[in-house]
Amino acid sequence: MKVRTSYVGLQNLLQGLSFSVRYYSKHNHLQTICFYSKIKPKKCHILDWSGSTCTHRTVTPGSTVPCRFFSCKQEGTKIPSKRKQNTSIITSELSYKNLLKSEQENWNYISARYKAMTKRIKEKLEQLHKYTFNSGSPRIRFGENVYFEENGCIFLSKADDVDEGIVDILFSTEDLGFSDAFIQRIRISPDQRYMAISLKSENSEEATCVIMKLGHSPVVEKVIPNVFSFEWATNDVLYYTSQKNLKCQNVFMTTFTNQKHTKLVYTEQDARFFVDIYCTKDRRFLTINSNSKTTSEVWLVDCRHPFQLPALVQARTQGIIYHVEHRNDELYILTTYREPAEYKLMKAPVASSGMENWQLVYALEEKTKLVDLEMFSDHCIMFLKNAGHLYLSVISFVSHSVQSIKLPTWACEFELESHPEHTTSTCYFQLTSPVHPPKRFAYSFKENNLIEQAVQEVPIITNCHTTRLLAKSKDETLVPITVFHNMNSKELHRKPLLVHVYGAYGIDLNMSFKEEKLMLIEEGWILAYCHVRGGGELGLSWHKDGCQHNKLKGLHDLKACITLLHELGFSQPKYTALAAASAGGVLAGALCNADPELIRAMVLQAPFVDVLNTMMKTHLPLTIEEQEEWGNPLADEKCMKYIKSYCPYQNIKTQCYPSVFITAYENDQRIPLTGVLRYVQKLRKAALDHASRTSKKGNWIPNIILDIQANGSHCESSWEDSLNEVCSLYCTHP
């Protein structure tokens, strides 16, 4: 690659401004604010380029931020004195630091026993990582210019030169002395004079926005700390939201004209609501989106008149979610308005956007999940899930027709690509599954057909079988399960089984490709994904039927899924492990307490295991807004008792437990280490008490292991974590 270095003096300026830029990595399993793409750095990162898609418009509004799919779990809390529980396993004689040191020493001792196995696994993962198809960085074309990001650098090339490798480097984190920085989001102004970049750290939830003036010698114009989302309204007017204590409630406007100034544009007063900014595909409006987990309100900023006050689309109405796109002076509104309470596409004139004027364009079928929606000049594409299968619904605004296209049966996830020009005639996306690397597809509006893009074949497993099952839950609701196993495996009842569960916030289980999943299949494992209630796999009603006073339904679903798998000959309890992350730890931990005989091991990542104590503390940043998911135990006696009935920490008892492997992060702002330490100590004590009371030959004493990561934050995922995940299974599993 021939690189023409065209920036000057940036390192000194950035260091002089003393802004903190550190590396940030995030799991890519979650539906996110806008399009995120895989890029090539050493860790698996997520990059938001153009915001051209509106993924955040198809999920529960409270889920607009990847991190916010999971509760904010702060320091360990206690129930008021009237209902005081013995929550302090960490005694005064053993300080937090001593306990932390003790756990780290314990992990060092245990992990040393698995060095040979770790080496073998690492070699296999490196081989898979080397040969796995990687689509590389997205290339964003603006006229004759092409922008792309790679290895912490942002490049510019002419369209005719990009394949020749002739590029200008506009920005480099490493050359500027910030090798640990991760570029999360990039926005280029319409006239390409300015570029806004957000940089995040693995140890912090806050991002820093750097605005650069482009040209022959790019220079930094401004640095704004604690920014979440940002969009250009015009060539020199930028709107952005500020983030504080995991909340976004203020919107600012800053100008880069001769008279530079910044002013507050909007403030959200309700602590349940989170604010972000989106630019419509045709760049006519910026939308200020204020969302709780059940209710929405949108304000429009006219990009032709960015200094005018925002205009309200529709005042918030409890229980009504809506999000907005624009085309030909009409607003296209994705909303839950009217029965059934699932997403519908409606439209209304910009001049009379009230709910009374909303007209139906398209309604989803029952039990269908809207994954994403992409607007184009004459078409709209909906990315859908139904009964575990993926579909496209292509709506033509010209012929008023709808074409439904079923995608390959192996596919489990969409990964959209950026389309900055809404007049394009082709929509590009990728399909993937836990054991299938991404494959690129294109839908042509002109030809009305789906095209699989040619990719280089890689030496990966081709005999992995996908099975979709339905388990009958306690109330006879049918719960989907997706199962993967090697077709050459014999005696499946003797093979190890890894069960995945989440079941919260209306979020689907992550079913994107990961090398370690493919390795497990090659090693003879069976992988099962239980799409229990509380998640979003079957639409908004599926989530509603598993939150607040319905949380136990998710537990019943999980038990039914594991039981069915065993009945059908997919492994057996003594070879079964259960995996969950963050809020998925609620159902996993609850099953571990209620039916420990169903599994042999449990693997948790940054688990939420003390719902009751957390929801009793309203001073924590996200407790109030999460009352819509878990309930309010302070105001409702029945709610308190209900949460207590399933809360993993509250229900630990003296019994035979499976082995448990927990990964926690020392810098996790959402689930601080103290709570995880307390849970581990209580669990160990219960297991040891049971073993001492029932001491006999062959008595089972579980391994309860805590691996504390000094770096990293809540449920982030990197390539190195793949190694840790596989090793954890072998540390706990016979």
Side-chain angles (χ1 to χ4, degrees):
M1 178 182 292
K2 304 173 185 177
V3 178
R4 300 191 293 264
T5 304
S6 56
Y7 61 89
V8 292
L10 291 180
Q11 182 172 3
N12 292 336
L13 176 57
L14 291 177
Q15 291 176 341
L17 291 169
S18 299
F19 80 104
S20 175
V21 183
R22 298 173 300 275
Y23 177 92
Y24 178 76
S25 171
K26 201 62 180 169
H27 200 283
N28 72 337
H29 73 289
L30 307 171
Q31 300 145 346
T32 53
I33 271 267
C34 303
F35 167 67
Y36 288 81
S37 293
K38 290 183 177 180
I39 59 175
K40 290 184 180 179
K42 296 177 183 178
K43 294 191 176 184
C44 179
H45 298 174
I46 299 169
L47 173 65
D48 177 6
W49 258 97
S50 67
S52 62
T53 66
C54 50
T55 309
H56 70 295
R57 312 193 174 282
T58 67
V59 299
T60 305
S63 303
T64 55
V65 189
C67 307
R68 297 175 66 253
F69 292 161
F70 314 113
S71 299
C72 173
K73 316 304 168 200
Q74 297 293 331
E75 294 296 329
T77 58
K78 293 185 178 181
I79 306 172
S81 57
K82 288 184 180 180
R83 291 179 174 80
K84 184 173 290 186
Q85 306 292 320
N86 182 21
T87 60
S88 183
I89 300 300
I90 304 175
T91 65
S92 58
E93 292 82 9
L94 187 61
S95 68
Y96 168 79
K97 289 185 178 180
N98 288 336
L99 184 54
L100 176 59
K101 182 180 179 181
S102 174
E103 289 294 344
Q104 290 171 332
E105 290 175 349
N106 183 54
W107 166 244
N108 290 336
Y109 170 75
I110 293 172
S111 60
R113 293 154 46 188
Y114 296 94
K115 282 186 177 180
M117 179 192 69
T118 301
K119 181 181 179 181
R120 180 181 68 85
I121 293 172
K122 183 176 181 180
E123 289 173 352
K124 292 202 70 171
L125 284 175
E126 284 176 342
Q127 185 178 14
L128 286 172
H129 190 66
K130 177 181 179 181
Y131 291 111
T132 297
F133 170 71
N134 190 326
S135 60
S137 304
R139 294 179 177 183
I140 308 303
R141 182 165 179 166
F142 287 86
E144 294 301 314
N145 290 333
V146 176
Y147 298 83
F148 62 97
E149 192 273 351
E150 202 168 284
N151 289 324
C153 297
I154 301 173
F155 298 96
L156 167 65
S157 177
K158 295 297 182 182
D160 294 336
D161 295 338
V162 65
D163 291 331
E164 301 297 325
I166 303 174
V167 299
D168 291 334
I169 180 170
L170 302 179
F171 183 85
S172 169
T173 56
E174 185 170 353
D175 289 350
L176 295 174
F178 301 103
S179 58
D180 286 340
F182 168 57
I183 301 172
Q184 185 199 30
R185 168 183 283 204
I186 299 171
R187 294 291 185 270
I188 299 170
S189 64
D191 64 357
Q192 303 181 62
R193 282 193 301 150
Y194 293 97
M195 176 172 63
I197 311 161
S198 64
L199 302 147
K200 290 196 75 173
S201 160
E202 65 173 353
N203 296 321
S204 175
E205 300 260 7
E206 287 73 35
T208 296
C209 182
V210 179
I211 296 92
M212 300 185 64
K213 187 173 183 179
L214 303 179
H216 181 69
S217 299
V219 296
V220 174
E221 283 281 312
K222 190 168 187 172
V223 176
I224 311 172
N226 304 324
V227 172
F228 175 69
S229 59
F230 49 90
E231 297 285 355
W232 293 99
T234 65
N235 295 331
D236 47 23
V237 178
L238 183 75
Y239 276 69
Y240 66 90
T241 59
S242 62
Q243 183 172 354
K244 183 179 180 181
N245 294 330
L246 306 176
K247 290 179 175 291
C248 283
Q249 294 187 298
N250 293 319
V251 178
F252 294 88
M253 177 188 68
T254 187
T255 65
F256 296 89
T257 57
N258 292 332
Q259 296 181 342
K260 296 179 175 62
H261 72 280
T262 300
K263 74 172 186 177
L264 179 66
V265 175
Y266 175 87
T267 297
E268 175 57 59
Q269 302 293 339
D270 193 327
R272 297 174 302 161
F273 285 73
F274 187 96
V275 180
D276 71 355
I277 299 173
Y278 171 74
C279 183
T280 59
K281 193 67 177 292
D282 59 3
R283 300 201 60 84
R284 170 66 189 279
F285 292 103
L286 297 187
T287 64
I288 298 174
N289 312 292
S290 190
N291 303 310
S292 77
K293 287 181 168 53
T294 61
T295 306
S296 304
E297 185 173 88
V298 178
W299 296 74
L300 297 180
V301 175
D302 192 334
C303 291
R304 300 174 304 179
H305 308 286
F307 300 107
Q308 292 182 357
L309 292 175
L312 178 64
V313 174
Q314 165 63 46
R316 65 191 64 176
T317 302
Q318 180 62 36
I320 302 298
I321 302 168
Y322 77 96
H323 311 286
V324 173
E325 255 291 354
H326 176 264
R327 174 185 175 271
N328 294 350
D329 292 324
E330 288 185 312
L331 297 179
Y332 282 79
I333 304 159
L334 197 60
T335 180
T336 59
Y337 176 55
R338 294 181 182 168
E339 293 297 328
E342 296 287 350
Y343 278 116
K344 311 161 193 68
L345 184 63
M346 308 184 85
K347 68 177 182 178
V350 173
S352 52
S353 60
M355 194 181 293
E356 66 278 4
N357 297 311
W358 293 2
Q359 298 178 356
L360 181 65
V361 176
Y362 182 81
L364 298 185
E365 295 181 5
E366 186 181 3
K367 294 185 178 181
T368 298
K369 168 66 179 284
L370 178 57
V371 178
D372 208 338
L373 178 147
E374 181 81 322
M375 289 287 292
F376 296 89
S377 56
D378 294 324
H379 297 84
C380 168
I381 293 187
M382 289 186 170
F383 296 80
L384 308 173
K385 285 184 182 180
N386 184 286
H389 295 282
L390 304 188
Y391 295 82
L392 298 181
S393 282
V394 183
I395 302 172
S396 172
F397 298 127
V398 177
S399 64
H400 305 288
S401 62
V402 178
Q403 183 177 3
S404 181
I405 302 168
K406 187 175 181 180
L407 298 174
T409 56
W410 58 262
C412 297
E413 291 279 9
F414 299 101
E415 295 181 5
L416 268 68
E417 298 186 11
S418 182
H419 304 92
E421 298 179 358
H422 74 293
T423 56
T424 183
S425 61
T426 307
C427 176
Y428 294 96
F429 60 94
Q430 295 179 2
L431 297 178
T432 183
S433 87
V435 296
H436 291 84
K439 282 191 176 181
R440 193 170 190 245
F441 289 79
Y443 181 82
S444 171
F445 299 120
K446 290 182 179 180
E447 303 296 331
N448 291 322
N449 63 358
L450 187 69
I451 305 167
E452 182 176 351
Q453 302 291 291
V455 296
Q456 180 181 357
E457 293 297 326
V458 293
I460 62 172
I461 190 170
T462 58
N463 57 351
C464 181
H465 185 67
T466 303
T467 303
R468 290 181 170 87
L469 306 172
L470 291 172
K472 185 176 291 187
S473 192
K474 185 177 180 179
D475 61 1
E476 299 193 349
T477 297
L478 297 179
V479 182
I481 313 170
T482 307
V483 184
F484 303 93
H485 68 86
N486 193 320
M487 287 189 292
N488 294 331
S489 293
K490 298 179 180 179
E491 297 185 315
L492 289 176
H493 67 286
R494 296 182 181 274
K495 299 297 182 182
L497 166 66
L498 180 60
V499 178
H500 302 76
V501 69
Y502 186 66
Y505 302 108
I507 303 305
D508 298 3
L509 269 172
N510 174 29
M511 298 189 71
S512 296
F513 175 74
K514 294 184 75 176
E515 286 94 344
E516 68 269 24
K517 305 301 183 186
L518 185 56
M519 176 186 167
L520 289 173
I521 291 292
E522 291 185 332
E523 293 275 306
W525 284 68
I526 304 165
L527 306 181
Y529 292 78
C530 302
H531 309 293
V532 303
R533 281 174 284 186
E537 286 86 346
L538 296 183
L540 298 178
S541 60
W542 196 247
H543 168 231
K544 186 176 180 181
D545 209 22
C547 69
Q548 291 195 7
H549 61 278
N550 290 321
K551 273 293 173 184
L552 280 172
K553 291 183 179 180
L555 176 59
H556 299 154
D557 293 351
L558 178 58
K559 180 180 179 180
C561 289
I562 297 175
T563 300
L564 177 65
L565 288 167
H566 292 158
E567 289 176 350
L568 294 178
F570 291 106
S571 193
Q572 51 189 294
K574 65 180 179 180
Y575 301 134
T576 298
L578 176 62
S582 194
V586 175
L587 294 183
L591 182 92
C592 193
N593 288 328
D595 298 284
E597 71 281 355
L598 285 178
I599 58 176
R600 181 74 168 191
M602 180 169 69
V603 179
L604 304 176
Q605 183 184 14
F608 181 27
V609 288
D610 195 357
V611 186
L612 184 58
N613 282 338
T614 300
M615 298 308 297
M616 296 290 286
K617 292 293 184 179
T618 56
H619 69 275
L620 299 179
L622 300 181
T623 295
I624 292 177
E625 71 174 84
E626 293 209 342
Q627 290 171 355
E628 294 179 319
E629 177 71 23
W630 308 99
N632 183 0
L634 288 173
D636 188 340
E637 179 82 16
K638 290 183 179 179
C639 178
M640 176 184 286
K641 292 181 178 179
Y642 188 75
I643 292 176
K644 188 177 179 181
S645 72
Y646 66 79
C647 176
Y649 179 79
Q650 298 292 332
N651 289 281
I652 293 174
K653 53 194 172 187
T654 302
Q655 64 177 353
C656 182
Y657 276 97
S659 289
V660 178
F661 188 106
I662 297 177
T663 302
Y665 301 94
E666 198 167 347
N667 298 304
D668 195 334
Q669 299 177 44
R670 297 176 178 272
I671 301 182
L673 198 53
T674 51
V676 179
L677 286 168
R678 191 167 55 247
Y679 173 79
V680 168
Q681 292 296 301
K682 187 174 182 180
L683 192 63
R684 279 194 188 131
K685 184 178 185 302
L688 291 174
D689 285 349
H690 175 266
S692 64
R693 294 180 188 179
T694 59
S695 57
K696 57 184 178 181
K697 187 177 181 180
N699 190 42
W700 164 256
I701 301 178
N703 290 322
I704 299 177
I705 304 169
L706 176 60
D707 175 18
I708 300 169
Q709 300 283 322
N711 297 316
S713 59
H714 186 71
C715 283
E716 69 161 22
S717 180
S718 66
W719 181 85
E720 288 84 351
D721 292 330
S722 298
L723 175 64
N724 295 336
E725 181 170 339
V726 178
C727 289
S728 67
L729 292 172
Y730 285 97
C731 288
T732 55
H733 206 276

